[in-house]
Amino acid sequence: MPTSSHSAKGVILITGASSGLGAGMAREFAKRGYDLALCARRLDALEALKSELSGTRVELAALDVTDHAAVFETFRQFREKFGRLDKVIVNAGIGEGAPIGKGGFAKNRATLEVNLIAALAQAEAAMEIFRDQNAGHLVFISSMSAIRGMRGAMTSYATSKAGLAHLAEGLRLEMLHKPIDITTLMPGYIQSEMTQGQDTSKTPFIIDGAKGARLLADAVESGRSHVTVPRWPWSVLGAAMKMLPLSLLRRVT
């Protein structure tokens, strides 16, 4: 039977919550008094994360978001356990890629399948619930790389995140003046599991994961439709990136 007991602040479902920004946001939202529905492929990592969290209800599920049927089933089960879902954060993603035409098709295909096609499945599952509730807040974790095409190993990643941003905007247009909110978050460089093993000493404006998670949580709570994270300098740089000719864009990406 559904359980209607949940925190006054609401229930947040986060995919890809076992590490990186997903785990960071889970910690932030737990501190802020939200109940959490957390899912990821690694159940052991989710259980370790849950042991850190206190003072809030946390439910876990193992989920590979490329198993689309499982996405729908997991979201429905979380809703049944809590009685409702207030926010769903489409966060699960990967950052692997290769230059086009250099033998990396499998990596590039996986990037699109996880970051875009699986995100569509998550959006479908969340919106099915929100439409039934006539309320909800769907949040997409896109990227500043979605603003323009990126070269080399970033091409497929940027493509997937651009598609995700358009998916969010289409939903936002449909839900205008309705009680379902759609937010697109555009993070800049934030340290996470994706950056482990990389030399980030020359990465411009990179911030640590804890600060990034805090700013992402702030952005979600703001309810704004489109947020760059952190706002400075990426809101200004994003506007500039839209206008740069390719010759200049190549120098800065």
Side-chain angles (χ1 to χ4, degrees):
M1 294 294 292
T3 302
S4 60
S5 174
H6 56 80
S7 77
K9 298 204 75 171
V11 181
I12 300 181
L13 189 161
I14 306 173
T15 64
S18 62
S19 63
L21 297 180
M25 286 188 287
R27 295 184 183 98
E28 274 298 316
F29 286 123
K31 292 177 187 175
R32 301 179 191 203
Y34 291 91
D35 286 341
L36 298 173
L38 306 179
C39 49
R41 288 178 299 170
R42 296 176 295 175
L43 187 58
D44 58 338
L46 287 175
E47 289 171 342
L49 173 62
K50 181 178 179 178
S51 70
E52 299 177 31
L53 309 177
S54 60
T56 191
R57 181 180 173 188
V58 181
E59 297 286 347
L60 307 177
L63 176 66
D64 180 343
V65 293
T66 62
D67 183 344
H68 305 146
V71 170
F72 283 85
E73 183 62 22
T74 299
F75 281 31
R76 290 166 185 160
Q77 288 178 352
F78 275 139
R79 190 218 185 164
E80 184 175 355
K81 288 179 179 179
F82 284 101
R84 66 181 292 109
L85 294 176
D86 297 292
K87 301 179 188 293
V88 172
I89 301 179
V90 178
N91 169 72
I94 59 175
E96 293 186 2
I100 305 297
K102 291 192 174 183
F105 173 69
K107 285 185 177 180
N108 292 328
R109 181 184 63 191
T111 297
L112 289 166
E113 288 176 344
V114 174
N115 294 358
L116 183 55
I117 304 303
L120 173 61
Q122 294 165 69
E124 292 269 9
M127 287 299 296
E128 176 185 272
I129 292 168
F130 291 162
R131 289 180 191 274
D132 184 63
Q133 295 177 166
N134 198 34
H137 183 192
L138 182 57
V139 180
F140 294 89
I141 306 295
S142 182
S143 167
M144 289 300 297
S145 67
I147 291 176
R148 295 289 297 270
M150 297 285 110
R151 61 192 173 102
M154 285 290 292
T155 300
S156 292
Y157 180 80
T159 299
S160 70
K161 292 299 186 178
L164 189 63
H166 279 271
L167 171 61
E169 188 166 44
L171 272 174
R172 190 156 49 244
L173 180 62
E174 183 181 351
M175 293 296 111
L176 203 61
H177 308 307
K178 295 180 181 179
I180 299 174
D181 298 318
I182 311 294
T183 292
T184 310
L185 300 186
M186 308 285 282
Y189 295 119
I190 301 175
Q191 290 177 341
S192 69
E193 194 172 70
M194 285 188 184
T195 65
Q196 287 181 1
Q198 299 178 14
D199 180 8
T200 59
S201 60
K202 296 181 181 180
T203 302
F205 312 115
I206 192 167
I207 61 176
D208 68 75
K211 180 178 181 179
R214 185 173 69 252
L215 292 175
L216 288 169
D218 289 344
V220 171
E221 287 193 322
S222 76
R224 291 164 54 203
S225 61
H226 192 278
V227 190
T228 56
V229 181
R231 188 171 184 179
W232 173 259
W234 293 107
S235 58
V236 174
L237 291 177
M241 285 173 65
K242 292 178 182 178
M243 298 183 290
L244 286 177
L246 290 181
S247 58
L248 290 179
L249 184 65
R250 181 179 174 85
R251 295 181 184 179
V252 299
T253 61

